[in-house]
Amino acid sequence: MAATLEKKAASEAPSYVRTPAAKFLASLAVDRRLYPYDLAGSIAHVEMLGAVGILTAEEAGSLAHGLRKVHTEIAADAFAWRDDLEDVHTNVEVRLTELLGPLGAKVHTARSRNDQVALDERLYLREAVHAVQEQVLALQSGLVALAEAHVETVMPGYTHLQRAQPVTLAHHLLAHVWRLSRDFDRLSGCFQRGNISPLGAGALAGSTLPIDPAIVAHRLGFAAAFENSLDAVSDRDPFAEFLFDLSLLTVHLSGFGEELVLWASAEFGFLKPVPELGSGSSLMPQKRNPDVAELARGKAGRVIGDLVALLAALKSLPLAYNRDLQEDKAPVFDAANHALETLVALNLAVPALAFDESKMAKAAADPRMLATDLAEYLVAKGVPFREAHGTVAEFLSTHEKVDAKSLREFSAKFREDVGELLDVRRAVSRRNTPGGPAPEAVLGQLGKAKDALGLERYALSKHAESVQIVHEILREEPK
Ligand code: ARG
């Protein structure tokens, strides 16, 4: 009799999720992927309940064992997910109660789904940030390797997409490395600010039981526990930051993608077609399209959309937890997936990029790009810059050919030595100011970029230690 009652109770959805609106309220489809974090968080929670004496050591041990069993079932795809149980948290709890009987019902002591979901999300966030950073660093390393091979490769530098002044390919590629360094750094800031445990905040106002949130925070590798329970259950700042960081990152990748598209076109011809950059056309046999670069360009839109969706959901919410917050997960998962996929594809493509150096050199040899050099030559001879600028502009508007002879005929201020200016390689070498494109300056820059990557590698290893904790907790068997 008791056994049948128990069975019935276990198969029936708990009263708090029973409503005619259940379908609308359900979040399982989105949040079930949080299960490893939910389970590791619950294990840390029951351990804490044991440590402070709310549960006996035996109860805490059995609960932790049961939670690991649930994890094994889910990981083996042997778990019967139930939509009528609303979310991942209730699915896990109901299954635990099926396995352990009334003891299972103790897992939720001094806890609410409000602090529980906030905890799960933070644990997910750490892992997602780490995964993105890993790919960002790989892309930077790929770009640095390419840059090292192209310290002497000259190409036009552009403003307004008009040829402006000559630079080196290494210098151009390193510009992207520095952008990505800032992206990496922003993600580290997000990791750090998000690395605070909200568990113990309860529904909004803590608990009357003698819980210790610091024990949970420490066990899960957080830097600290929350300071304010109202803030802890409602704070989605780390997610908003993450989405901004991903938005700017994908905006950066979209700019790089656009350059690859341009460079792969016959009009530029800087890149040779390689299969890593894309596929062919189903109709036109001659085509090799830079699809990877195009999609890298195209993905930023939806990531920005995800950021806007989250900010709009957060706007005007009163403290503390509101059900609107359930809408936070889908945009975060979406943005993280698409940013990661973009980075993975670019990491396949970048090492395979093959530059047509002769085409780049030819484009860079356009002497009109040395107009500033000519003006600066006059400045060195004592001509005020504005006057020098005017002289060279007038020369260029009246002459097709830019060579020493015509310059000297045009103005006596141009001497014999002006011919030396018109060699593009020498022109690039002269741009040897700090942070400039000259090969010598770029070699210094390369050293600094490698140092920056070394620091990133270290930050990544520290983040990996926190991320690993969740998986270690799930593997460990209680003593
Ligand atoms: N599915 C909810 C979310 O993602 C979990 C918290 C539900 N809390 C509640 N009081 N109904 O936000």
Side-chain angles (χ1 to χ4, degrees):
M1 177 70 179
T4 16
L5 265 184
E6 228 166 63
K7 209 165 176 204
K8 186 171 180 296
S11 62
E12 219 169 61
S15 61
Y16 64 88
V17 294
R18 253 183 278 140
T19 158
K23 216 173 152 143
F24 181 59
L25 299 184
S27 56
L28 181 65
V30 174
D31 64 28
R32 58 188 267 177
R33 61 180 288 177
L34 291 175
Y35 77 85
Y37 318 105
D38 197 74
L39 286 157
S42 289
I43 292 169
H45 178 63
V46 297
E47 284 178 3
M48 179 278 289
L49 293 176
V52 299
I54 296 173
L55 295 179
T56 65
E58 206 198 331
E59 285 175 323
S62 304
L63 281 165
H65 182 75
L67 287 161
R68 289 192 179 90
K69 178 150 176 35
V70 173
H71 177 254
T72 310
E73 289 180 0
I74 299 177
D77 222 356
F79 186 90
W81 291 101
R82 286 175 52 184
D83 283 322
D84 63 319
L85 298 182
E86 196 173 292
D87 54 27
V88 61
H89 325 293
T90 308
N91 264 275
V92 166
E93 190 181 329
V94 166
R95 178 66 187 137
L96 190 68
T97 309
E98 272 173 22
L99 288 171
L100 303 182
L103 175 63
K106 290 198 175 185
V107 70
H108 212 53
T109 308
R111 184 176 71 172
S112 154
R113 281 184 297 162
N114 297 354
D115 56 347
Q116 186 180 1
V117 72
L119 174 74
D120 295 2
E121 291 180 337
R122 300 265 173 146
L123 293 173
Y124 159 84
L125 182 72
R126 292 198 311 205
E127 192 157 339
V129 169
H130 177 264
V132 174
Q133 284 189 310
E134 202 167 45
Q135 291 297 320
V136 169
L137 179 55
L139 182 56
Q140 290 177 291
S141 308
L143 290 168
V144 164
L146 268 187
E148 270 189 303
H150 291 286
V151 173
E152 305 276 344
T153 306
V154 290
M155 67 178 280
Y158 297 85
T159 64
H160 314 264
L161 198 58
Q162 308 282 318
R163 285 179 188 166
Q165 292 178 342
V167 296
T168 46
L169 177 55
H171 193 57
H172 189 112
L173 295 170
L174 286 171
H176 287 292
V177 172
W178 294 114
R179 281 181 166 185
L180 291 168
S181 248
R182 294 191 294 275
D183 290 320
F184 188 100
D185 197 46
R186 262 185 289 277
L187 287 163
S188 287
C190 172
F191 188 104
Q192 188 199 325
R193 281 179 290 280
N195 199 20
I196 300 290
S197 172
L199 203 76
L204 75 162
S207 176
T208 60
L209 295 166
I211 54 168
D212 187 350
I215 293 179
V216 173
H218 184 257
R219 176 69 166 119
L220 292 168
F222 285 104
F226 64 97
E227 294 294 347
N228 180 307
S229 63
L230 296 175
D231 184 36
V233 291
S234 58
D235 176 16
R236 297 295 184 273
D237 293 1
F239 269 16
E241 270 192 51
F242 184 45
L243 286 182
F244 172 76
D245 297 347
L246 294 182
S247 296
L248 191 51
L249 166 64
T250 50
V251 163
H252 289 156
L253 299 180
S254 77
F256 181 51
E258 166 67 351
E259 289 179 343
L260 297 180
V261 171
L262 288 170
W263 294 352
S265 72
E267 280 68 17
F268 275 79
F270 293 178
L271 275 175
K272 298 176 189 159
V274 289
E276 286 82 352
L277 214 44
S279 52
S281 158
S282 62
L283 174 71
M284 299 166 284
Q286 86 284 9
K287 288 288 285 291
R288 272 330 287 188
N289 300 321
D291 313 64
V292 169
E294 293 171 275
L295 270 179
R297 189 176 58 186
K299 289 284 184 188
R302 73 185 287 163
V303 177
I304 295 168
D306 289 327
L307 168 65
V308 174
L310 179 65
L311 290 176
L314 296 178
K315 184 193 163 292
S316 306
L317 289 185
L319 289 171
Y321 179 83
N322 298 274
R323 194 58 179 266
D324 317 43
L325 292 175
Q326 182 168 295
E327 289 297 307
D328 63 350
K329 285 173 275 307
V332 171
F333 296 161
D334 183 73
N337 287 347
H338 287 278
L340 265 176
E341 280 176 14
T342 307
L343 287 161
V344 168
L346 284 174
N347 276 326
L348 285 174
V350 162
L353 292 179
F355 290 93
D356 189 331
E357 293 176 38
S358 68
K359 287 237 178 79
M360 298 179 106
K362 201 163 160 235
D366 177 352
R368 302 180 89 79
M369 281 199 295
L370 301 175
T372 316
D373 301 45
L374 291 172
E376 285 174 358
Y377 167 92
L378 294 177
V379 167
K381 301 249 184 281
V383 181
F385 178 73
R386 201 41 66 207
E387 190 188 322
H389 184 281
T391 305
V392 176
E394 201 194 325
F395 172 83
L396 291 176
S397 68
T398 51
H399 292 72
E400 264 301 308
K401 207 166 152 58
V402 184
D403 59 11
K405 188 165 166 283
S406 35
L407 280 164
R408 293 182 60 207
E409 277 165 17
F410 182 74
S411 165
K413 285 181 190 120
F414 290 114
R415 306 280 165 74
E416 197 77 51
D417 57 353
V418 72
E420 290 166 24
L421 286 192
L422 300 173
D423 176 69
V424 65
R425 286 189 184 279
R426 285 158 83 167
V428 174
S429 300
R430 275 198 307 271
R431 318 196 93 76
N432 201 16
T433 42
E440 198 187 326
V442 167
L443 285 176
Q445 192 189 153
L446 260 171
K448 287 189 179 165
K450 285 184 188 169
D451 290 348
L453 264 51
L455 291 174
E456 290 176 15
R457 213 163 282 123
Y458 176 72
L460 203 57
S461 72
K462 296 313 278 178
H463 293 172
E465 285 172 17
S466 309
V467 168
Q468 271 318 307
I469 289 172
V470 164
H471 305 283
E472 283 159 16
I473 288 177
L474 291 173
R475 265 198 307 272
E476 252 171 52
E477 261 310 311
K479 293 141 221 141

